[in-house]
Amino acid sequence: MDSELPKIKYLSDEKTKEMLKDMKGEKVGWVQVEEEKWCLPAKYVKQRHIYYNFEVNPDDTWVVTFPRSGTTWTQELVWLLSNDLNFETAKSVPLVIRCPFLEMSMAINDATSENLLEENKDNAEIESLLSNLSLTYEIARSMPSPRFIKTHFPLSLVPNILKSDCKVIYVARNPKDVAVSYYHFHKTVKVYDYQGDFEKFWDYFQNDLISWGPYWKHLKEAWAQRHNPNFLFLFYEEMTHDLLAATKKVAKFLGKSYKDEQYQEVADHLRFSNLQKNRMVNLTKDNTKVLFKADNFIRQGKSGAWHKMFTPELREKANRWIEENLKNTDLKFPFIDIYS
């Protein structure tokens, strides 16, 4: 029954009009969900029952992140460690098939899908691509066990994850780098086609008006689960600081053990210079055809790149916001000074 589903509220007409002007690819708008005011594409309204009631298997492994927090990197790591380092399959089957994005169909609004199809009419390959993207939850649902599934939803919007005995790996990344990466993503992906500058994007981000936000509530929900034996809270900065150590940490959580040279092989496979060349992992204009304006889905894979985008004034504004949200919490990003 709808009364049992997450409560929704549409953004005001004025705010929607402003955001649609900046994000020309969106076409429809956004909703705010529950008291946390999770910001999601309006298509969520039609599909929320699918996600909220999605049946989770106890032998599932879920990768949960706020967008642009090292999700793809972690998916490939988790899949390899869980599948006895099956590099042959990893190099021949796309990651989006091995570990589908649960709510991908919600992220692409119908109007943009129709436009993309019209632009590429009589192209059976593109029609098939868009059709598959519109049914990712069905792909996830019908996968044979053990399943590997990715989501950007906060844990409270896919409640069966924590009700199950499945494994969950949550990855958090510092907000400045997340915002910069998400900004470039919005500029690149036709579904958003963001027209504004970074400073305006940061305002949306800080004011919880970016899809899958609010950022801090997303992280804090997961941080509260960090002592759950089926839950691993991992920082992106751990992976950039020492990928080999992070690989061993994830393997231990998954109940896997390998030789040192095997861990090194995994770490080498996952180095960004290699992932950027890996067509099974890095989405490009060649293998997605119509969704991206830039050449690559994976960008730099670095921590601290935000320095190039923040003016002194914007950094001060961001620092005040970060300090306020870290107050009265022991959440701390390792290996970086988040303020400077």
Side-chain angles (χ1 to χ4, degrees):
M1 295 175 60
D2 284 352
S3 59
E4 299 171 348
L5 293 174
K7 304 297 189 296
I8 61 146
K9 179 181 179 181
Y10 284 88
L11 290 182
S12 68
D13 290 343
E14 181 181 2
K15 179 56 67 174
T16 298
K17 184 177 180 180
E18 175 192 347
M19 291 178 65
L20 288 177
K21 183 178 179 180
D22 285 331
M23 302 182 199
K24 292 177 64 177
E26 171 51 40
K27 309 296 184 188
V28 181
W30 297 263
V31 292
Q32 292 179 318
V33 182
E34 295 288 284
E35 292 181 2
E36 292 82 2
K37 295 184 178 180
W38 304 114
C39 183
L40 296 170
K43 196 172 180 179
Y44 175 76
V45 177
K46 294 188 295 184
Q47 298 185 351
R48 58 185 163 151
H49 65 285
I50 296 170
Y51 307 120
Y52 197 74
N53 297 312
F54 192 86
E55 187 173 345
V56 178
N57 298 332
D59 59 353
D60 282 352
T61 301
W62 287 71
V63 175
V64 184
T65 70
F66 188 87
R68 310 309 288 179
S69 297
T71 321
T72 303
W73 205 10
T74 309
Q75 286 174 268
E76 184 75 349
L77 170 61
V78 167
W79 192 92
L80 278 170
L81 292 175
S82 300
N83 287 277
D84 301 322
L85 310 188
N86 186 348
F87 288 100
E88 182 178 351
T89 298
K91 293 176 180 178
S92 60
V93 179
L95 181 60
V96 293
I97 301 298
R98 291 181 277 126
C99 185
F101 178 19
L102 178 68
E103 66 269 26
M104 178 66 178
S105 55
M106 182 193 78
I108 303 179
N109 66 77
D110 294 338
T112 295
S113 292
E114 291 172 5
N115 289 345
L116 292 173
L117 282 170
E118 179 62 27
E119 291 172 6
N120 298 275
K121 58 186 176 183
D122 302 323
N123 188 321
E125 185 177 4
I126 292 177
E127 183 176 357
S128 175
L129 168 72
L130 292 171
S131 176
N132 286 333
L133 291 177
S134 70
L135 294 170
T136 49
Y137 53 83
E138 288 291 357
I139 293 172
R141 181 183 289 154
S142 61
M143 289 175 69
S145 293
R147 304 182 305 184
F148 300 86
I149 303 173
K150 153 194 167 180
T151 183
H152 290 316
F153 277 131
L155 293 167
S156 57
L157 293 188
V158 197
N160 288 333
I161 291 178
L162 293 180
K163 294 177 183 177
S164 168
D165 290 329
C166 73
K167 295 283 189 182
V168 182
I169 296 93
Y170 185 94
V171 188
R173 187 183 189 185
N174 81 82
K176 291 176 181 173
D177 280 329
V178 165
V180 169
S181 182
Y182 213 8
Y183 162 74
H184 287 293
F185 185 74
H186 275 70
K187 297 285 283 187
T188 296
V189 178
K190 292 183 179 180
V191 170
Y192 295 120
D193 194 15
Y194 179 66
Q195 304 294 303
D197 59 16
F198 177 70
E199 187 169 356
K200 180 108 183 249
F201 185 86
W202 176 265
D203 281 342
Y204 285 136
F205 182 77
Q206 180 171 326
N207 290 299
D208 304 329
L209 292 172
I210 291 295
S211 293
W212 287 276
Y215 167 87
W216 287 113
K217 291 179 181 177
H218 203 293
L219 265 64
K220 288 177 181 179
E221 272 199 355
W223 185 246
Q225 296 295 324
R226 67 191 182 282
H227 300 306
N228 183 328
N230 293 323
F231 196 96
L232 177 64
F233 193 104
L234 185 69
F235 287 97
Y236 180 89
E237 289 75 16
E238 293 179 71
M239 298 173 73
T240 56
H241 177 76
D242 190 337
L243 181 55
L244 189 58
T247 297
K248 292 180 179 181
K249 180 177 181 177
V250 174
K252 181 179 180 180
F253 171 73
L254 294 171
K256 294 288 187 175
S257 180
Y258 298 101
K259 298 177 181 179
D260 285 345
E261 57 267 28
Q262 291 176 303
Y263 283 122
Q264 187 61 59
E265 186 178 9
V266 174
D268 289 341
H269 176 82
L270 289 169
R271 298 202 187 284
F272 263 81
S273 58
N274 291 328
L275 284 189
Q276 286 178 323
K277 295 179 287 188
N278 186 340
R279 286 171 52 84
M280 296 301 103
V281 175
N282 189 16
L283 303 178
T284 68
K285 284 202 292 187
D286 288 337
N287 61 10
T288 58
K289 305 294 184 185
V290 295
L291 298 179
F292 296 90
K293 294 190 290 182
D295 291 332
N296 293 294
F297 178 74
I298 293 175
R299 291 184 60 249
Q300 297 179 344
K302 298 178 181 178
S303 292
W306 63 267
H307 290 89
K308 298 179 181 179
M309 299 292 294
F310 281 71
T311 63
E313 294 78 16
L314 188 56
R315 181 173 63 180
E316 183 179 346
K317 176 182 178 181
N319 285 348
R320 289 195 300 269
W321 176 70
I322 292 169
E323 183 176 18
E324 178 64 29
N325 281 282
L326 288 179
K327 189 183 301 181
N328 302 321
T329 176
D330 56 357
L331 176 61
K332 184 178 181 180
F333 294 86
F335 306 116
I336 61 166
D337 182 344
I338 198 171
Y339 295 107
S340 62

